[in-house]
């Protein structure tokens, strides 16, 4: 029997919501203008899955497909690149609006700023994005990957010219390692979406960068005459992406925000554990976190993202690996007429969760709590493609991690 989905209704006391402003519409507009200055920029597809929606009994189901982002097969570059641009803007006394791709790749940047070394920890996608941006901007990058990281993800980072290692510790220990090395380096900068006391500015810029993806999705929904999603499902590792998405849509629809559901991988479900405790504090998960959802295997939350989530999310859900495997297979073999989405292990968990809630009566209580029914217009984010092609094929073609 497969492991069960666990979930917690949000009964936590509200905070003063002081971090919601990070994802203001003006901040996200600046981030999107920055990304639009890149010659590689295109709006990634929003897959409208009408056939699957009809089969599941939903009004609409749409999945944002980040496998097309900048040719990097994942959304993470949006945050790292915008944080680096903001850092350079601060150092040179400019507004980030002046730090376009053309300026950041110009000879003038070398005169104004010179060269720094950007340190980060990653399961693969964030590090590849930081390495890619550093390479394009003539900067240096050092990337540490946690125990169990795969060779294809390592190779993708190394191909961007970064110094990259796989360590024998978990993700959160790699974050501490990267931060210590940045402090010891003459021009070292830690670029991490994990925020902690005293390290909040760069994580907030990263979250704003993620807002480009949410802004595109909202615009695409309107073009499809779906003026507002009733439900937004988003995955969480440290919670920066989830906080960014929830924060953006809360600011976009302040009088009638969607119902938000956060999905985590079970071994690293620090947000779910915090919600289950009900006291307003997240929990820290330590040690090994065995899961195919490598990008979500983070045990220490971003305090900025958590503050947004505790105020606006209806349910936090802890998902075993079979949930995302189900989503990967469903998106990879769609209903007739629906577009195919190649979604990786950390990308498909929300679609797998929606599918399960609509089809499995065991989770009727959660389905009822969030009001998921035939009137629902659901938005999910597939945050990565097949970043490990061999594992993707084992799951989608060969049936690893069956639903039951």
């Amino acid at each position: 029997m497969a492991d069960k989905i666990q979930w917690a209704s949000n009964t936590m006391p509200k905070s003063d919501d002081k971090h919601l402003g990070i994802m203001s519409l003006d901040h996200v507009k600046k981030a999107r203008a920055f990304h639009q200055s890149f010659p590689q920029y295109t709006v990634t597809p929003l897959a409208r899955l009408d056939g699957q929606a009809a089969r599941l009994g939903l009004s609409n189901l749409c999945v944002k497909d980040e496998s097309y982002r900048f040719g990097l097969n994942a959304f993470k570059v949006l945050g790292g690149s915008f944080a680096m641009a903001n850092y350079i803007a601060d150092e040179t006394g400019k507004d980030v609006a002046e730090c376009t791709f053309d300026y950041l790749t110009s000879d003038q940047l070398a005169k104004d700023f010179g060269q720094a070394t950007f340190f980060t920890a990653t399961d693969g996608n964030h590090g590849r994005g930081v390495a890619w941006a550093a390479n394009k901007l003539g900067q240096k990058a050092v990337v540490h990957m946690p125990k169990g990281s795969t060779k294809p993800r390592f190779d993708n980072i190394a191909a961007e010219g970064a110094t990259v290692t796989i360590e024998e510790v978990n993700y959160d220990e790699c974050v501490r390692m990267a931060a210590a090395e940045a402090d010891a380096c003459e021009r070292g900068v830690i670029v991490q979406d994990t925020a902690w006391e005293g390290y909040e500015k760069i994580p907030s810029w990263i979250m704003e960068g993620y807002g480009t993806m949410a802004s595109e999705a909202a615009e695409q929904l309107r073009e499809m005459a779906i003026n507002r999603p009733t439900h937004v499902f988003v995955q969480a590792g440290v919670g920066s992406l989830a906080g960014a998405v929830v924060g953006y849509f809360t600011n976009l629809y302040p009088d009638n925000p969607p119902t938000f559901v956060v999905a985590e991988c079970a071994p690293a479900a620090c947000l779910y554990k915090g919600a289950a405790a009900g006291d307003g504090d997240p929990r820290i998960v330590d040690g090994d976190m065995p899961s195919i959802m490598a990008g979500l295997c983070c045990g220490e939350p971003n305090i900025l993202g958590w503050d947004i989530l505790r105020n606006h999310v209806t349910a936090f859900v802890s998902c075993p690996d079979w949930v995302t495997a189900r989503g990967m297979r469903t998106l990879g073999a769609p209903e007739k007429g629906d577009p195919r989405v190649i979604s990786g292990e950390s990308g498909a968990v929300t679609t797998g969760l929606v599918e399960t809630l609509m089809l499995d009566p065991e989770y009727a209580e959660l389905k009822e709590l969030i009001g998921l029914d035939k009137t629902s217009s659901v938005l999910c984010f597939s945050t990565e493609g097949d970043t490990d092609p061999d594992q993707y094929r084992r799951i989608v073609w060969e049936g690893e991690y069956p639903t039951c």
Side-chain angles (χ1 to χ4, degrees):
M1 179 64 68
D3 293 336
K4 304 291 186 184
I5 293 170
Q6 299 182 66
W7 57 276
S9 174
N10 186 357
T11 60
M12 293 180 285
K14 306 299 183 188
S15 74
D16 59 8
D17 219 10
K18 66 181 180 180
H19 298 301
L20 183 63
I22 292 171
M23 298 309 300
S24 72
L25 302 187
D26 284 344
H27 286 168
V28 174
K29 185 177 180 180
K30 272 192 173 184
R32 190 166 175 189
F34 167 72
H35 293 128
Q36 286 170 327
S37 77
F38 280 62
Q40 298 86 356
Y41 176 81
T42 57
V43 175
T44 57
L46 182 69
R48 182 168 183 167
L49 305 177
D50 288 340
Q52 187 175 353
R55 178 174 63 85
L56 297 180
L58 297 167
S59 179
N60 295 288
L61 175 61
C62 295
V63 176
K64 183 70 165 158
D65 183 358
E66 288 296 296
S67 68
Y68 291 89
R69 183 66 67 186
F70 284 9
L72 297 174
N73 214 10
F75 82 105
K76 282 281 192 175
V77 66
L78 295 173
S81 64
F82 191 57
M84 291 164 72
N86 273 278
Y87 177 82
I88 291 170
D90 266 12
E91 290 291 298
T92 56
K94 298 180 181 296
D95 188 280
V96 72
E98 301 174 75
C99 292
T100 62
F101 181 85
D102 285 345
Y103 170 71
L104 292 173
T105 55
S106 68
D107 293 338
Q108 188 62 41
L109 178 73
K111 297 175 185 176
D112 294 344
F113 177 75
Q115 191 177 61
T117 303
F118 293 92
F119 291 80
T120 195
T122 184
D123 72 291
N125 294 336
H126 174 68
R128 188 181 184 186
V130 169
W132 180 87
N135 190 11
K136 290 286 185 283
L137 276 48
Q139 305 298 313
K140 295 179 181 178
V142 175
V143 180
H144 295 307
M145 304 181 72
K147 177 169 59 176
S149 295
T150 65
K151 190 172 187 302
R153 293 177 180 139
F154 175 97
D155 290 343
N156 283 333
I157 297 169
E160 299 296 343
T163 299
V164 54
T165 66
I166 297 178
E167 304 295 336
E168 286 301 313
V169 294
N170 68 20
Y171 167 82
D172 300 293
E173 288 298 327
C174 284
V175 171
R176 282 185 274 276
M177 182 183 298
E181 290 180 7
D183 284 343
C185 182
E186 184 177 353
R187 292 202 74 188
V189 185
I190 177 73
V191 181
Q192 209 65 48
D193 61 358
T194 305
W196 55 85
E197 194 74 34
Y199 180 72
E200 298 181 357
K201 184 182 284 188
I202 287 178
S204 71
W205 291 332
I206 290 174
M207 290 173 65
E208 290 168 10
Y210 294 161
T212 289
M213 178 180 68
S215 170
E216 289 176 0
E219 187 176 89
Q220 289 167 306
L221 286 170
R222 288 191 292 269
E223 290 169 354
M224 295 175 178
I226 304 171
N227 293 324
R228 170 188 161 276
T230 62
H231 295 75
V232 175
F233 284 70
V234 61
Q235 52 272 72
V238 298
S240 55
L241 166 66
V245 167
V246 170
Y248 174 77
F249 280 100
T250 299
N251 281 310
L252 185 63
Y253 302 108
D255 298 325
N256 188 23
T259 296
F260 298 109
V261 179
V262 168
E264 295 177 276
C265 71
C270 52
L271 307 180
Y272 155 76
K273 290 178 184 295
D279 56 11
D281 295 325
R283 296 305 188 260
I284 291 176
V285 177
D286 202 1
D288 293 341
M289 302 170 198
S291 172
I292 56 174
M293 293 176 264
L296 308 184
C297 288
C298 313
E300 298 182 22
N302 176 335
I303 59 174
L304 309 177
W306 169 253
D307 190 55
I308 294 172
L309 298 175
R310 64 178 283 194
N311 287 304
H312 300 286
V313 170
T314 297
F316 293 83
V317 186
S318 171
C319 298
D321 283 345
W322 63 261
V323 178
T324 196
R326 181 177 195 168
M328 292 168 70
R329 287 189 280 267
T330 299
L331 291 169
E335 294 287 328
K336 186 175 182 179
D338 284 355
R340 181 187 182 205
V341 178
I342 298 177
S343 185
E345 298 85 350
S346 296
V349 62
T350 51
T351 305
L353 178 58
V354 171
E355 172 109 355
T356 302
L357 295 184
M358 294 305 296
L359 297 179
D360 191 339
E362 182 171 0
Y363 302 107
E365 186 179 356
L366 175 54
K367 177 184 170 185
E368 182 177 350
L369 169 71
I370 62 176
L372 201 60
D373 59 29
K374 64 182 180 181
T375 67
S376 300
S377 292
V378 178
L379 173 63
C380 295
F381 292 87
S382 175
T383 51
E384 66 174 8
D386 55 343
T387 55
D388 185 340
D390 290 339
Q391 182 162 271
Y392 178 86
R393 285 189 287 268
R394 288 196 300 270
I395 294 168
V396 175
W397 293 2
E398 299 172 19
E400 280 193 359
Y401 305 96
T403 301
C404 60

